[in-house]
Amino acid sequence: MSRIIRAGLVGFGFAGRTFHAPVITAAEGIELAAVVQRTGDEAAVRYPNARLYRETKALLADPTIDLVVAATPSGDHYRLAKEALLAGKHVVVEKPFTVTSAEADELIALAKNAGLVLSVYHNRRWDGDFLTISKLLQEGALGTIVEAEFCWDRYRPHAGAGWRNADEPGAGTFYDLGVHFLDQALTLFGRPSAIRADLRKTRPGANATDAFDVALSYGSSRNLSVRLKSSLHAMKSGPRYVLHGTRGTFVKYGEDPQEQALKAGAAGREPGWGQEPPESWGELTADWGGLRVTGKVETLPGRYAAYYENVAAAIRGTEPLQVRPEQARLAIRLIELGIRSDREKRTLEVDKEEGE
């Protein structure tokens, strides 16, 4: 039997207790062996088999820990990941990977030189709607995609006091939500040729970006335009995904159910996990041999635990890593260019990396 990967989680705030601890425990081939929680004993109560540490240093010194998971505010990701890599640990970093692409470059080089697995928690690749869209594109159901719009609408009209609303690098919805959409766009369509971003602070007391409208273009040869949007003033949400292709259109409303289930305290192993009811399925309108076909497409079940199962397999050397740090680094580079595009009020070309 393949050995079980022992994970140590740094941070038991919202991300750690909601999106990492239960997902790790739901995954096969990996176990939650330790948690760093500076104050309180919630982690010990919920996960009595995991060792409780008060300091990250103690976790890094534990020789039984294979993987360190950094589930802390964005500004801490680079430092914690670097410390863990230097301690000889494999690392998963909560998104966004880092605040700057230069920080990402340093971490990637450290991991490569040490022969360690480094990944970023882009769990939204395992949303059911995204898995369904990926399958539709793989099967050519829409033909060649010419236009796509991803929209993350919520109604949260009052700015909070947490780190996401702090006036500091790495805060705001572009880093928090936008990085998910950037990762999804990169996964589906690859590197864009240009970016244009409109970043705004729309709520009273907002210290960081809380709305974005980003256009990615892919050059005249591909004739593809991708738009990424988010608003926290949407009392009634529009479609989350709209894709137009040469053979059809797919429209999908609603969010993947895994987040709400995890917030409610689900373990991620319940029967029917990640499945959507028929009323939430997306609608496909397509041309099949001259016939117009319109109907619902059953959403594939989402499963965030698959992310950690892949990381564990990559550490054991039995599978290629699905969320590679170079991919996450490109999303951070697009955020940097988007911020500059908004500041300069112009479209910017996306620089190609040496060797591409």
Side-chain angles (χ1 to χ4, degrees):
M1 181 179 295
S2 299
R3 73 181 182 92
I4 301 298
I5 300 302
R6 292 173 55 82
L9 175 63
V10 180
F12 205 70
F14 174 72
R17 69 174 181 269
T18 305
F19 289 110
H20 290 277
V23 174
I24 292 170
T25 57
E28 297 180 3
I30 186 171
E31 67 174 337
L32 183 63
V35 178
V36 177
Q37 183 179 12
R38 297 192 183 283
T39 60
D41 297 315
E42 183 184 358
V45 172
R46 294 181 62 175
Y47 302 99
N49 293 328
R51 186 172 299 173
L52 180 64
Y53 287 117
R54 296 303 187 187
E55 299 291 337
T56 304
K57 183 178 180 180
L59 174 70
L60 298 182
D62 186 339
T64 69
I65 297 298
D66 304 299
L67 171 69
V68 170
V69 178
T72 57
S74 301
D76 294 334
H77 290 178
Y78 163 74
R79 176 183 58 81
L80 284 173
K82 183 175 181 179
E83 290 175 354
L85 290 169
L86 291 174
K89 309 295 186 183
H90 304 286
V91 175
V92 163
V93 185
E94 168 64 26
K95 59 77 196 168
F97 185 9
T98 51
V99 174
T100 70
S101 58
E103 291 175 341
D105 288 336
E106 184 179 346
L107 295 179
I108 291 169
L110 277 174
K112 183 177 181 179
N113 292 336
L116 296 168
V117 170
L118 171 63
S119 185
V120 179
Y121 192 59
H122 280 300
N123 61 313
R124 295 290 178 175
R125 293 194 197 181
W126 285 269
D127 277 355
D129 44 24
F130 182 72
L131 293 173
T132 304
I133 289 169
S134 299
K135 183 66 172 177
L136 287 171
L137 268 58
Q138 290 169 9
E139 297 298 326
L142 304 178
T144 301
I145 302 299
V146 296
E147 185 177 340
E149 182 172 304
F150 302 172
C151 190
W152 205 317
D153 283 339
R154 289 176 173 176
Y155 185 65
R156 296 177 181 174
H158 304 291
W163 66 265
R164 289 177 176 82
N165 186 42
D167 183 14
E168 60 185 36
T173 58
F174 194 29
Y175 271 98
D176 186 35
L177 304 181
V179 74
H180 278 308
F181 274 166
L182 287 169
D183 178 72
Q184 291 186 346
L186 290 169
T187 301
L188 292 177
F189 308 118
R191 175 190 291 271
S193 59
I195 184 170
R196 177 74 183 244
D198 177 22
L199 310 178
R200 303 183 303 279
K201 300 175 184 176
T202 64
R203 300 176 297 173
N207 298 310
T209 296
D210 61 9
F212 59 82
D213 189 341
V214 178
L216 305 176
S217 56
Y218 284 78
S220 57
S221 61
R222 291 188 63 183
N223 193 31
L224 170 62
S225 175
V226 178
R227 191 176 181 187
L228 315 175
K229 299 174 57 183
S230 179
S231 170
L232 296 179
H233 284 285
M235 294 189 72
K236 183 176 177 60
S237 298
R240 184 169 177 83
Y241 295 100
V242 178
L243 293 96
H244 300 298
T246 55
R247 292 183 57 191
T249 290
F250 181 70
V251 179
K252 175 69 172 66
Y253 285 80
E255 291 189 27
D256 180 276
Q258 293 178 91
E259 177 175 346
Q260 291 305 317
L262 289 169
K263 285 180 178 178
R269 299 184 296 272
E270 292 81 358
W273 180 262
Q275 293 181 346
E276 284 191 337
E279 58 269 22
S280 297
W281 296 351
E283 184 173 89
L284 173 67
T285 303
D287 181 356
W288 291 91
L291 297 174
R292 177 65 60 86
V293 177
T294 299
K296 294 285 189 177
V297 177
E298 182 176 358
T299 305
L300 293 172
R303 186 168 177 268
Y304 294 155
Y307 169 84
Y308 272 111
E309 289 172 354
N310 173 252
V311 170
I315 292 172
R316 289 191 293 267
T318 58
E319 290 183 12
L321 187 65
Q322 292 193 39
V323 181
R324 296 181 290 107
E326 294 84 0
Q327 298 169 320
R329 184 265 183 204
L330 179 52
I332 298 303
R333 181 58 186 150
L334 290 177
I335 286 179
E336 291 176 323
L337 290 171
I339 293 171
R340 179 182 163 197
S341 168
D342 175 71
R343 183 174 64 247
E344 299 179 3
K345 306 303 179 187
R346 65 187 183 96
T347 300
L348 296 177
E349 292 188 1
V350 177
D351 48 329
K352 288 205 171 186
E353 305 305 318
E354 185 177 351
E356 283 195 291

